[in-house]
Amino acid sequence: DGGITQSPKYLFRKEGQNVTLSCEQNLNHDAMYWYRQDPGQGLRLIYYSQIVNDFQKGDIAEGYSVSREKKESFPLTVTSAQKNPTAFYLCASSIDILYNEQFFGPGTRLTVL
Amino acid sequence: QQPVQSPQAVILREGEDAVINCSSSKALYSVHWYRQKHGEAPVFLMILLKGGEQKGHDKISASFNEKKQQSSLYLTASQLSYSGTYFCGTEMRGGATNKLIFGTGTLLAVQP
């Protein structure tokens, strides 16, 4: 079955540690996205990628980094520079960047202790 | 730039209707609608690409008023399965248009 997988579902880290969240899709989509979701704030875009080896900052990129070395994979690293990293992180993909449905993964809930 | 959704929350009885609005301060290319159930990923409902466009499936439909820079989602004869948080996502004209900006969501609770 085609879809998007994110792992792990729950993640706990100590303050000051970097952590990488995995996102893999087998939908053959060109575009991929990372969103952060906090209660009452909806979905906020962290980074997005239109094609392999290319990505752009979203609205809240500070303290995060990404890579897009393969079409299927778009990992997100939450660095120690992110002031308030505890949140629900959602990865999504679409056929291309414009006017297309985004398919979301199940999300990773990150808690920094 | 974040679109404003209203109401923030609504409680319905099964069979009642609801309207969720999404307004932008800037001109829009398109409006997307998604529904998210608690603890799950958002699920796509529909995209409206043209001013005046209306779409729907089952008893959920939407309209896009380009001049007013707003979209409305209509839920008719609501069912328990309609419960969740509804988000609009907007692509704006001018600047970087190749990304969605989501509203803060409308929580819909349908009771028996």
Side-chain angles (χ1 to χ4, degrees):
Chain A
D1 289 334
I4 301 179
T5 57
Q6 291 184 244
S7 60
K9 189 168 184 178
Y10 299 96
L11 190 56
F12 297 87
R13 279 294 182 267
K14 290 184 178 179
E15 195 172 341
Q17 289 182 334
N18 291 355
V19 60
T20 298
L21 281 57
S22 166
C23 177
E24 303 277 333
Q25 55 99 357
N26 60 2
L27 299 166
N28 200 31
H29 286 172
D30 283 322
M32 296 188 74
Y33 315 81
W34 273 106
Y35 293 93
R36 170 180 171 138
Q37 188 171 30
D38 296 283
Q41 295 200 45
L43 301 166
R44 292 185 292 167
L45 183 63
I46 305 172
Y47 269 97
Y48 61 105
S49 169
Q50 300 184 67
I51 199 167
V52 174
N53 292 322
D54 181 62
F55 48 84
Q56 287 81 41
K57 292 182 179 180
D59 300 314
I60 54 164
E62 185 176 351
Y64 300 97
S65 65
V66 293
S67 63
R68 186 86 187 275
E69 297 176 0
K70 297 188 298 182
K71 188 175 185 177
E72 305 80 23
S73 178
F74 191 41
L76 173 74
T77 297
V78 184
T79 74
S80 56
Q82 168 51 233
K83 301 291 185 211
N84 184 19
T86 294
F88 187 49
Y89 291 88
L90 286 159
C91 179
S93 72
S94 61
I95 293 173
D96 58 45
I97 204 77
L98 289 174
Y99 310 139
N100 287 291
E101 170 187 0
Q102 292 188 15
F103 293 81
F104 285 83
T108 292
R109 190 165 296 280
L110 173 65
T111 302
V112 176
L113 307 170
Chain B
Q1 286 189 334
Q2 186 176 33
V4 176
Q5 288 186 234
S6 62
Q8 290 185 332
V10 58
I11 300 174
L12 300 173
R13 295 278 185 196
E14 267 188 297
E16 291 181 339
D17 302 339
V19 180
I20 300 172
N21 298 304
C22 175
S23 297
S24 172
S25 59
K26 297 194 174 184
L28 303 174
Y29 272 135
S30 69
V31 179
H32 300 220
W33 285 98
Y34 290 80
R35 176 173 62 208
Q36 184 179 30
K37 294 187 179 287
H38 183 68
E40 299 181 6
V43 173
F44 172 79
L45 294 176
M46 62 192 81
I47 296 176
L48 299 108
L49 299 176
K50 301 177 187 176
E53 184 174 21
Q54 296 191 41
K55 276 190 177 180
H57 59 88
D58 197 8
K59 293 177 181 174
I60 300 176
S61 62
S63 63
F64 179 18
N65 188 324
E66 195 172 6
K67 284 187 178 179
K68 291 186 178 180
Q69 298 169 183
Q70 68 181 34
S71 175
S72 296
L73 186 71
Y74 307 93
L75 299 104
T76 305
S78 59
Q79 305 168 16
L80 294 176
S81 62
Y82 287 2
S83 294
T85 301
Y86 289 79
F87 293 99
C88 66
T90 55
E91 291 179 279
M92 297 180 184
R93 294 186 180 274
T97 58
N98 53 354
K99 62 179 183 178
L100 279 184
I101 300 176
F102 284 92
T104 54
T106 295
L107 178 62
L108 178 73
V110 181
Q111 297 178 341

